[in-house]
């Protein structure tokens, strides 16, 4: 099999490494090497390359929202009054500062952004919406969808 190039080509070993680490980011290099079928040194070299090339952005703990009292999830549609580049940049910078906003996606459609907002309860969400989200740059209006049950809630 061809060796992955510096341009970021991934082979099946790289994909197995990424899949294994997405399930358990605390896996040791030795465990990882056994899991993907490589010896330790080549596995470690590949892991370093995957980090250096930006395929792996970092390692962090997956927290339990229920244990932290953060079970309330709402999706908020945001429509902007101005969608010129400067307005979008200002909105993007400001929304990144709101800790309750877990995700923010620019959308092509009837609204401009979709936010995933996690709080302790509906009262806290109302405060976040009224005091933080609604006062973001260029926000014209919002619409909220409250999650009743999370059926699947994982990243890549």
């Amino acid at each position: 099999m061809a060796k992955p190039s510096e341009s970021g080509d991934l082979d099946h070993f790289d994909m197995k490494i990424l899949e294994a680490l997405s399930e358990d980011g605390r896996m040791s290099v030795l465990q990882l090497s056994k899991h993907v079928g490589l010896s330790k040194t080549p596995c470690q070299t590949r892991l370093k390359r995957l980090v250096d090339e930006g395929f792996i952005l970092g390692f962090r703990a997956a927290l339990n929202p229920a244990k932290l009292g953060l079970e309330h999830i709402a999706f908020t549609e945001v429509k902007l009054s101005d969608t010129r580049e400067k307005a979008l940049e200002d909105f993007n910078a400001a929304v990144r500062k709101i800790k309750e906003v877990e995700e923010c996606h620019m959308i092509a459609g009837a609204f401009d952004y979709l936010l995933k907002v996690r709080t302790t309860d509906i009262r806290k969400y109302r405060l976040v919406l009224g005091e933080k989200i609604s006062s973001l740059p260029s926000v014209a209006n919002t619409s909220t969808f409250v999650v009743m049950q999370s059926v699947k809630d994982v990243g890549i």
Side-chain angles (χ1 to χ4, degrees):
M1 173 151 304
K3 181 179 175 185
S5 73
E6 292 300 313
S7 66
D9 295 336
L10 299 178
D11 66 13
H12 77 282
F13 287 114
D14 294 327
M15 294 304 294
K16 287 175 83 173
I17 289 170
L18 294 174
E19 183 180 330
L21 289 176
S22 72
E23 293 291 322
D24 181 5
R26 292 183 60 175
M27 187 179 294
S28 72
V29 175
L30 184 58
Q31 291 170 314
L32 183 61
S33 66
K34 289 178 181 176
H35 184 81
V36 301
L38 289 170
S39 61
K40 184 179 175 186
T41 301
C43 185
Q44 193 164 22
T45 301
R46 285 173 178 266
L47 177 57
K48 181 181 182 331
R49 182 181 53 79
L50 291 168
V51 170
D52 291 346
E53 291 182 4
F55 289 99
I56 297 174
L57 298 176
F59 298 90
R60 63 179 183 200
L63 305 179
N64 183 337
K67 292 266 188 190
L68 297 169
L70 296 170
E71 292 184 274
H72 186 271
I73 301 170
F75 286 90
T76 308
E77 294 177 353
V78 177
K79 179 82 174 146
L80 300 183
S81 59
D82 182 358
T83 56
R84 290 175 289 182
E85 195 58 34
K86 175 71 170 114
L88 298 175
E89 289 171 7
D90 291 346
F91 178 89
N92 293 347
V95 77
R96 286 183 186 107
K97 295 176 184 174
I98 302 175
K99 69 175 183 159
E100 294 88 356
V101 175
E102 283 189 350
E103 298 178 17
C104 174
H105 305 276
M106 183 185 284
I107 302 295
F111 54 95
D112 300 303
Y113 286 91
L114 181 64
L115 312 180
K116 179 182 178 185
V117 184
R118 185 181 293 274
T119 58
T120 54
D121 55 38
I122 192 72
R123 287 185 192 152
K124 178 65 175 171
Y125 173 75
R126 262 188 55 207
L127 287 172
V128 170
L129 179 64
E131 300 297 319
K132 297 179 181 181
I133 295 171
S134 294
S135 64
L136 288 169
S138 300
V139 170
N141 59 59
T142 63
S143 183
T144 297
F145 301 88
V146 175
V147 173
M148 294 173 39
Q149 177 185 10
S150 291
V151 177
K152 181 177 180 181
D153 189 3
V154 296
I156 293 180

